[in-house]
Amino acid sequence: MMIRAGLVGLGKIARDQHLPAIDKVDGIALVAVASRNAQAEGVQNYPDLGAMLAGEPDLDAVILCQPPQVRYATARQALLAGKHVFLEKPPGATVSEVEALTALARQKNGTLYASWHSRYAAAVAQAKSWIADRKVERIDIQWREDVRHWHPGQPWIWEAGGFGVFDPGINALSILTEIVGEPITLLSAELEVPSNKQAPIGATLGMATASGAAIDTVFDWRQTGPQTWDIAVETDNGSLLLSEGGNTLRLDGEVQMKAPDEEYPAMYRRFVDLVERRAIDVDTAPLRLVADAFLCGRHCPTAAFED
Ligand code: NAP
């Protein structure tokens, strides 16, 4: 079966990753795009999802790449129309809307896929199996990048529901919750919110595994120069460092794996498989930790930020 897919929100991630990945993967083809201000070549273009659904009655699946604040309404509309749905990360702006979508997908017997691209980084699976044989004693996460470089001209990211520094930070949490085989709880959070913004530019989280290992986490958007996306794990039998967002693995300081980013093709292969089985894959664990940080975090106002 060839899945006929339509994509909503033709912006940075759609162009950088989704279009090339769909091209690469068997079993799925892009037939239409719905975007208010952009058009893709070689497919039908529509101003919004409603027009796309009306114009493409044979569409099987809808891929949602808009900012999180507007994703729920379109995901619901697509599921109600009987389409399978691929959600970019984060799967929504709130936990409750993602749970409502999951219930709706079940009711409609459709596929709902909450994608977490960082879980498909090259070294994540190997890190997970290495940790599975050991007792975790301590985890340190440093996710530091330059917001001006990665998110220029994206006002939504600074608005309520835009996640601020948790937009990249949730990628670290998606890896963390994948590689550690036990529940993780949030103990404390400090959120640095610029005086002219609604979302944090920096965050420090204290978490712990169920068996008591401390997880210290720093997310910071003010890093210039080299960027840092590191997860360091100390265990009773050696240490592990995942760097470059999960694409490089060091065990006891020795590089074991360094591989290029192939996250999006892997996600599309997963989506094709889910659609064939009409299965649901929605793990809200990373989103819950972010929600908990907003629930119990201490707010520390900081200097105004201008792009
Ligand atoms: P973006 O380029 O700013 O937005 C994507 C598109 O969504 C825009 O081009 C716009 O298309 C549409 N859009 C923007 N605001 C909207 C609104 N208020 N209502 C309806 N549509 C709106 O953002 P992006 O970087 O692609 O990120 C989109 C999602 O992908 C986010 O959830 C982000 O976390 C995730 N993501 C991004 C990256 C990355 O490197 N940028 C990486 C992984 C995941 P039209 O104006 O044409 O409708």
Side-chain angles (χ1 to χ4, degrees):
M1 171 198 169
M2 177 64 77
I3 299 167
R4 292 166 51 85
L7 182 146
V8 184
L10 186 61
K12 182 168 180 354
I13 197 59
R15 288 187 189 283
D16 287 357
Q17 296 286 353
H18 288 262
L19 301 190
I22 295 168
D23 256 3
K24 261 193 188 178
V25 171
D26 291 338
I28 185 162
L30 187 72
V31 299
V33 160
S35 213
R36 301 162 309 172
N37 300 296
Q39 299 212 328
E41 281 177 21
V43 299
Q44 293 297 318
N45 287 276
Y46 298 92
D48 56 42
L49 175 60
M52 184 164 81
L53 292 173
E56 304 288 335
D58 295 338
L59 214 59
D60 303 302
V62 173
I63 301 150
L64 298 179
C65 298
Q66 328 95 302
Q69 292 101 325
V70 296
R71 206 151 319 120
Y72 175 64
T74 42
R76 192 176 147 73
Q77 190 180 358
L79 286 169
L80 285 171
K83 310 303 175 191
H84 306 294
V85 172
F86 181 131
L87 301 169
E88 242 304 347
K89 54 74 30 178
T94 67
V95 178
S96 52
E97 66 188 28
V98 180
E99 287 176 350
L101 289 177
T102 308
L104 181 59
R106 216 167 268 135
Q107 190 189 324
K108 301 292 289 183
N109 192 29
T111 285
L112 181 65
Y113 179 38
S115 66
W116 297 109
H117 65 86
S118 292
R119 286 184 173 175
Y120 295 84
V124 169
Q126 197 179 329
K128 180 177 180 172
S129 63
W130 187 87
I131 289 170
D133 298 333
R134 291 166 171 82
K135 183 177 176 342
V136 173
E137 292 178 340
R138 192 188 137 73
I139 300 178
D140 182 67
I141 300 177
Q142 302 278 329
W143 225 250
R144 299 173 184 272
E145 60 178 52
D146 182 352
V147 65
R148 288 192 173 92
H149 176 80
W150 297 103
H151 298 285
Q154 294 193 328
W156 60 265
I157 216 159
W158 292 106
E159 290 162 8
F163 286 68
V165 76
F166 287 101
D167 178 84
I170 203 168
N171 298 332
L173 298 176
S174 74
I175 296 176
L176 174 73
T177 49
E178 173 70 14
I179 62 178
V180 173
E182 51 181 322
I184 291 168
T185 50
L186 187 106
L187 307 175
S188 65
E190 291 199 358
L191 311 177
E192 288 181 87
V193 182
S195 57
N196 58 342
K197 304 289 185 197
Q198 296 296 319
I201 193 166
T204 308
L205 310 184
M207 297 180 282
T209 64
S211 54
I215 306 168
D216 291 322
T217 301
V218 177
F219 299 150
D220 201 319
W221 249 350
R222 291 159 295 198
Q223 171 125 325
T224 53
Q227 309 282 282
T228 309
W229 299 285
D230 287 354
I231 300 179
V233 182
E234 295 292 332
T235 75
D236 60 345
N237 185 18
S239 66
L240 170 152
L241 176 63
L242 266 177
S243 52
E244 290 164 58
N247 284 307
T248 299
L249 174 68
R250 286 182 181 77
L251 297 177
D252 298 321
E254 296 286 321
V255 175
Q256 306 290 314
M257 179 189 271
K258 193 174 172 65
D261 171 3
E262 275 291 305
E263 297 167 12
Y264 278 76
M267 287 204 295
Y268 273 98
R269 284 190 277 277
R270 171 78 174 148
F271 185 58
V272 168
D273 174 58
L274 290 170
V275 170
E276 279 168 2
R277 296 185 287 115
R278 293 187 169 253
I280 293 173
D281 178 355
V282 177
D283 179 11
T284 55
L287 183 62
R288 282 200 310 269
L289 289 171
V290 173
D292 282 356
F294 279 103
L295 269 175
C296 78
R298 282 196 324 122
H299 284 232
C300 313
T302 189
F305 178 84
E306 304 299 341
D307 270 325

